[in-house]
Amino acid sequence: MKPLCLDILKLGNPRLRSQALPLDMPLNQAQHRLIEQLIDRMQASNGVGIAAPQVGIPWQIIIVASRPTLRYPQAPRMEPIAMINPQILEDGGEQIQDWEGCLSVPNMRGLVTRAQHVTVRYHDLAAGCQCERFSGFIARIIQHEYDHLQGRLFVDRVKQSADLITEDEYQKLLIS
Ligand code: NI
């Protein structure tokens, strides 16, 4: 495994609370390298998404990388997508409540309501402008990561404190 040079900031760090800045396109070599490192960092932590502010980089970059997990056996497996300067143009469908976790909020899960569908416009790595619609688990990841760019965390979105539980208790729910 490659050495991990990016540290994940944790809940309470003020840099997780700032608004991320848009990037000029095309990206330079250092920015491409950063995105590779973000993907490595996410995969090493078994995450399904990560946002640049989580490693202290105040730029509008998110990585979306759904794959089947214990909780979401039907989640689609996809190549990680880097979305630069993403904008959620539309969200719709049902409002769906489900458990979320975050690399910046270790050992916690929260019940969060998200839109079933999102349409997101973003720049890809080749500086092309993409506009795509996503549903279900991938739409949830996008909404979670997009929140990081606004300085928001999933704990801000739980309706009540009783909807926050530890990872241990969450694992018990899965097998019950
Ligand atoms: Ni997160």
Side-chain angles (χ1 to χ4, degrees):
M1 196 166 67
K2 295 177 203 170
L4 300 176
C5 42
L6 298 178
D7 279 338
I8 305 267
L9 306 184
K10 302 290 170 28
L11 178 66
N13 189 307
R15 294 156 90 186
L16 287 171
R17 294 306 194 170
S18 52
Q19 171 76 43
L21 305 170
L23 284 176
D24 290 333
M25 302 300 291
L27 300 182
N28 62 35
Q29 203 171 5
Q31 290 163 333
H32 277 283
R33 178 75 192 116
L34 168 71
I35 287 172
E36 287 170 17
Q37 289 178 311
L38 272 173
I39 293 171
D40 287 347
R41 190 68 183 81
M42 177 198 67
Q43 289 175 336
S45 307
N46 289 315
V48 292
I50 195 168
Q54 290 183 270
V55 296
I57 306 287
W59 292 338
Q60 293 178 11
I61 300 170
I62 66 174
I63 310 296
V64 180
S66 169
R67 60 187 171 75
T69 63
L70 188 62
R71 180 65 186 83
Y72 299 96
Q74 307 304 322
R77 185 180 297 278
M78 62 192 282
E79 283 299 307
I81 301 178
M83 297 182 175
I84 301 132
N85 304 329
Q87 295 291 323
I88 292 181
L89 301 181
E90 191 182 15
D91 58 32
E94 273 179 75
Q95 293 288 311
I96 298 174
Q97 199 179 46
D98 213 335
W99 295 102
E100 286 186 17
C102 179
L103 299 177
S104 294
V105 188
N107 302 318
M108 298 290 289
R109 297 277 166 162
L111 260 187
V112 181
T113 301
R114 301 283 189 188
Q116 186 178 11
H117 310 289
V118 291
T119 302
V120 58
R121 184 174 61 199
Y122 63 94
H123 287 110
D124 62 23
L125 288 171
C129 193
Q130 303 286 338
C131 189
E132 285 185 81
R133 188 167 187 265
F134 296 91
S135 297
F137 189 55
I138 299 177
R140 176 173 293 273
I141 297 171
I142 291 169
Q143 290 169 84
H144 175 114
E145 303 309 334
Y146 183 77
D147 270 356
H148 278 298
L149 304 184
Q150 328 302 319
R152 280 196 297 262
L153 299 169
F154 81 85
V155 293
D156 305 329
R157 293 205 179 266
V158 298
K159 288 204 181 81
Q160 52 196 6
S161 52
D163 291 340
L164 271 178
I165 65 174
T166 63
E167 182 70 30
D168 283 352
E169 291 297 324
Y170 172 72
Q171 292 299 329
K172 288 184 202 169
L173 283 183
L174 292 184
I175 57 175
S176 63

